[in-house]
Amino acid sequence: MGSALIYILVAIVLFASLAVAVGRMNSGATPGNSQSLQLQATEILQFSQAVRTAVQDITVNGATEAQISFENPVAAGYPNAGCVTDSCKLFASSGGGLSYIKPQDQWLDASHNAGANYGDWVFSGNNAVTGVGTDGGSDASVELLAILPYVKKDLCVQINNMLNIANPGGNPPQDDAVTDVTDKFSGTYTASIVMAGNAQISGQRAACIQDSGAPATAPYHFFRVLSAR
């Protein structure tokens, strides 16, 4: 009788394991991976959208595009002499009211840990997105962007999936330029890089892309347009 009970219990455990495995196969998910990527992508999209909303609020309340300040207590390099009160600072309680959220290590490709501004958001006035705002390559056509540089490829793909942006052949769209993730916005817009040459990128207000170059080594960056110009 005891042996029969053991066999029954083992059969129940095996059946439960089989059901879980089949469920995972049907969903196409790697255990713990797809759900984790979706959560990470959601956090990135939500924070960048919150920054965009704060930029809009600040400008509606009277700040000019040149006065927007990303000065914060975590990431240095964002002094803006044109912003003389907290009302034009995104990360001030009487301005945008945001708290800077430092990117998590699991979001990033550690093989690029020597890259400029690895491990931080980059708020940039040096990149233009073709099809967004006014094109032309001048300082006046440069967008204000939030950029998360050096994103892991699988997370980059997940972000695009959630934005309904095609990943050709399972790869994020590749730009024909190298995104400027070095220069930080301090009140001046400078025509440096034009993100163009790919149908999946043109006109997008948010996307995750790969820099031009060898696909095996070129980094992936997420960007969101904060202000189209």
Side-chain angles (χ1 to χ4, degrees):
M1 185 69 177
S3 298
L5 180 59
I6 291 173
Y7 289 138
I8 292 173
L9 291 174
V10 169
I12 291 173
V13 170
L14 291 175
F15 180 79
S17 299
L18 179 61
V20 170
V22 170
R24 287 170 176 165
M25 290 173 62
N26 290 338
S27 66
T30 301
N33 184 49
S34 179
Q35 193 170 27
S36 176
L37 286 176
Q38 188 171 19
L39 178 59
Q40 293 170 41
T42 298
E43 292 174 318
I44 292 167
L45 292 172
Q46 287 181 340
F47 177 70
S48 63
Q49 179 59 46
V51 175
R52 181 176 183 273
T53 300
V55 166
Q56 293 175 329
D57 290 345
I58 284 176
T59 53
V60 166
N61 289 333
T64 67
E65 290 180 333
Q67 290 175 323
I68 297 168
S69 173
F70 296 96
E71 184 178 350
N72 67 83
V74 180
Y78 291 103
N80 188 341
C83 177
V84 296
T85 68
D86 283 353
S87 63
C88 45
K89 295 180 180 179
L90 266 75
F91 300 104
S93 58
S94 56
L98 295 180
S99 295
Y100 181 89
I101 297 179
K102 191 171 179 62
Q104 299 177 26
D105 291 342
Q106 62 182 336
W107 298 352
L108 308 176
D109 181 352
S111 69
H112 293 285
N113 62 3
N117 295 311
Y118 177 91
D120 276 311
W121 286 90
V122 176
F123 304 108
S124 167
N126 289 69
N127 298 276
V129 182
T130 300
V132 174
T134 302
D135 296 334
S138 68
D139 293 349
S141 64
V142 172
E143 271 65 63
L144 184 64
L145 300 181
I147 303 172
L148 179 59
Y150 316 113
V151 177
K152 287 183 177 178
K153 179 181 177 180
D154 55 356
L155 179 55
C156 193
V157 169
Q158 177 66 37
I159 289 171
N160 286 339
N161 287 340
M162 294 173 68
L163 292 171
N164 293 317
I165 294 173
N167 293 294
N171 299 305
Q174 190 175 57
D175 197 3
D176 65 354
V178 176
T179 308
D180 185 346
V181 299
T182 301
D183 295 305
K184 300 180 177 182
F185 183 76
S186 58
T188 302
Y189 294 88
T190 303
S192 174
I193 298 297
V194 177
M195 299 160 66
N198 192 304
Q200 285 82 25
I201 300 171
S202 180
Q204 296 294 346
R205 301 298 180 108
C208 194
I209 64 174
Q210 185 180 34
D211 273 346
S212 65
T217 59
Y220 302 94
H221 308 305
F222 166 74
F223 75 88
R224 183 182 291 279
V225 175
L226 305 178
S227 179
R229 303 173 68 251

